[in-house]
């Protein structure tokens, strides 16, 4: 297997090497990077390129590692026993398989995405060490061991909200997705909008990278937000013309709500524009 860019996803050489290395080593691929740089989309495109199924486990602050294995619904079993429901004596009827169980028992090699692992408790990654290492886990209620029929390709994403344990990191192949440079961004835009006017791409990227370089910006616009902005500009001719005729010292570009996401950054851009106008007098 050799992962490559697809018709809908632009992968850098470093990212391709990381994916292929993780597959060869049979290690989870830990992907970090700014929000909106395509970490989750990578797993989707990897599964599509392999023609296999993607199993996604979205992690929340309340998610426990055991939920990825299975959950035992003791409450339902107690209720059914009181109502005389058939099959209550079989505990297996009250086990709810988790995403790891689903990936391990799949009839084909699947891609398992553990999305935003850093949202969970600090112990969450360590609680999955053995299961991801040995590709098996024990079901205490039935005494069986669930083993992977086909070792899944595991992709783990993190937004760097908290540090991950060293023991967990040692078992992963790590890659940080750098923010795309202008040439790469042009390729990404071309993938999403193959017939877009070169002038619009040039003007939009000029504004986009100026925004990202603004000093003190709380939230820099991401790749996914640029795509949304371009989609809006393509649908609104008036805003598109406003972009072409924009005064360089004006603060906010047209339809800026797709790029600037809080009032602090809006105020900052307005102050920077005011200072630029004063210097130009």
């Amino acid at each position: 297997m050799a992962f490559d860019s697809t018709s809908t996803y632009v992968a850098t050489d470093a990212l391709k090497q990381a994916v292929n290395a993780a597959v060869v080593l049979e290690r989870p691929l830990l992907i970090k990077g700014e929000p909106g740089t395509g970490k989750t989309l990578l797993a989707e495109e990897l599964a599509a390129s392999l023609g296999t199924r993607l199993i996604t486990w979205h992690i929340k602050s309340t998610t426990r590692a055991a939920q990825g294995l299975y959950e035992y619904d003791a409450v339902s079993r107690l209720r059914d026993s009181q109502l005389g429901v058939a099959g209550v004596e079989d505990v297996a009827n009250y086990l709810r398989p988790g995403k790891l169980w689903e990936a391990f028992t799949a009839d084909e090699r699947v891609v398992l995405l553990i999305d935003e692992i850093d949202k969970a408790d600090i112990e969450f990654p360590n609680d999955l060490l053995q299961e991801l290492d040995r590709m098996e886990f024990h079901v205490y209620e039935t005494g069986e061991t669930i083993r992977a029929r086909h070792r899944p390709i595991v992709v783990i994403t993190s937004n760097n909200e908290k540090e991950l344990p060293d023991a967990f990191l040692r078992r992963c192949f790590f890659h940080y997705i750098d923010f795309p440079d202008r040439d790469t961004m042009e390729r990404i835009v071309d993938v999403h909008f193959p017939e877009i006017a070169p002038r619009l791409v040039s003007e939009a990227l000029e504004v986009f990278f100026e925004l990202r370089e603004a000093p003190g910006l709380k939230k820099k616009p991401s790749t996914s937000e640029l795509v949304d902005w371009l989609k809006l500009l393509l649908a609104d001719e008036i805003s598109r013309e406003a972009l072409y005729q924009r005064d360089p010292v004006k603060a906010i570009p047209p339809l800026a709500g797709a790029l600037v996401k809080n009032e602090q950054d809006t105020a900052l851009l307005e102050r920077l524009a005011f200072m630029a106008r004063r210097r130009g007098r």
Side-chain angles (χ1 to χ4, degrees):
M1 189 215 89
F3 176 67
D4 204 344
S5 296
T6 69
S7 61
T8 56
Y9 188 83
V10 176
T12 62
D13 289 341
L15 180 56
K16 297 174 194 175
Q17 291 173 358
V19 172
N20 296 326
V23 172
V24 170
L25 293 174
E26 296 188 332
R27 298 276 190 181
L29 174 62
L30 175 61
I31 296 289
K32 291 186 178 183
E34 286 185 34
T37 50
K39 299 186 295 298
T40 301
L41 187 58
L42 168 64
E44 297 173 1
E45 294 296 330
L46 177 57
S49 69
L50 296 175
T52 191
R53 186 157 56 102
L54 173 66
I55 297 175
T56 303
W57 186 13
H58 293 294
I59 306 303
K60 302 177 181 178
S61 60
T62 56
T63 303
R64 295 177 293 105
Q67 292 173 315
L69 310 181
Y70 67 93
E71 292 184 278
Y72 170 46
D73 192 350
V75 174
S76 292
R77 191 182 190 196
L78 175 61
R79 183 194 62 230
D80 289 350
S81 67
Q82 294 171 337
L83 297 174
V85 175
V88 72
E89 68 282 352
D90 186 355
V91 68
N93 292 332
Y94 299 91
L95 298 179
R96 305 289 180 259
K99 297 298 183 179
L100 266 70
W101 186 321
E102 184 181 349
F104 287 3
T105 57
D107 293 329
E108 60 181 347
R109 189 182 201 185
V110 300
V111 175
L112 172 63
L113 170 63
I114 304 177
D115 201 25
E116 298 189 332
I117 194 171
D118 51 326
K119 282 188 175 180
D121 183 84
I122 188 62
E123 291 303 319
F124 178 91
N126 281 338
D127 290 343
L128 289 177
L129 284 180
Q130 180 170 308
E131 288 76 15
L132 292 177
D133 212 19
R134 298 184 180 180
M135 287 288 151
E136 66 178 35
F137 61 88
H138 187 69
V139 182
Y140 295 99
E141 288 78 6
T142 63
E144 64 180 319
T145 297
I146 303 298
R147 294 186 177 88
R149 295 178 184 173
H150 307 278
R151 190 180 189 97
I153 299 171
V154 181
V155 178
I156 302 171
T157 69
S158 169
N159 286 326
N160 253 349
E161 292 183 7
K162 63 169 69 81
E163 289 296 322
L164 299 174
D166 288 344
F168 180 79
L169 294 174
R170 282 197 300 271
R171 288 166 170 81
C172 297
F173 189 93
F174 170 76
H175 180 73
Y176 185 89
I177 297 181
D178 290 317
F179 196 83
D181 59 21
R182 184 166 181 134
D183 289 342
T184 304
M185 192 65 80
E186 287 179 354
R187 292 168 56 204
I188 292 172
V189 170
D190 185 59
V191 161
H192 287 88
F193 309 103
E195 298 181 3
I196 192 170
R199 182 187 178 191
L200 178 56
V201 176
S202 177
E203 295 284 349
L205 288 182
E206 195 70 31
V207 171
F208 177 76
F209 280 105
E210 281 180 6
L211 284 177
R212 283 190 55 85
E213 293 168 5
L217 204 66
K218 184 177 180 181
K219 174 168 182 329
K220 295 181 179 181
S222 68
T223 306
S224 61
E225 289 160 344
L226 171 63
V227 171
D228 288 344
W229 187 46
L230 284 169
K231 186 175 182 180
L232 291 173
L233 290 171
L234 285 170
D236 189 335
E237 185 175 348
I238 295 175
S239 296
R240 195 161 62 247
E241 288 301 318
L243 175 66
Y244 293 154
Q245 300 169 17
R246 191 174 76 96
D247 185 341
V249 298
K250 285 189 176 179
I252 308 297
L255 298 170
L259 300 173
V260 184
K261 297 303 177 86
N262 58 69
E263 64 277 13
Q264 295 98 320
D265 285 346
T266 299
L268 171 66
L269 293 173
E270 289 173 345
R271 286 199 304 273
L272 292 174
F274 175 74
M275 293 168 63
R277 287 193 297 272
R278 284 180 63 89
R279 287 195 299 270
R281 287 178 180 174

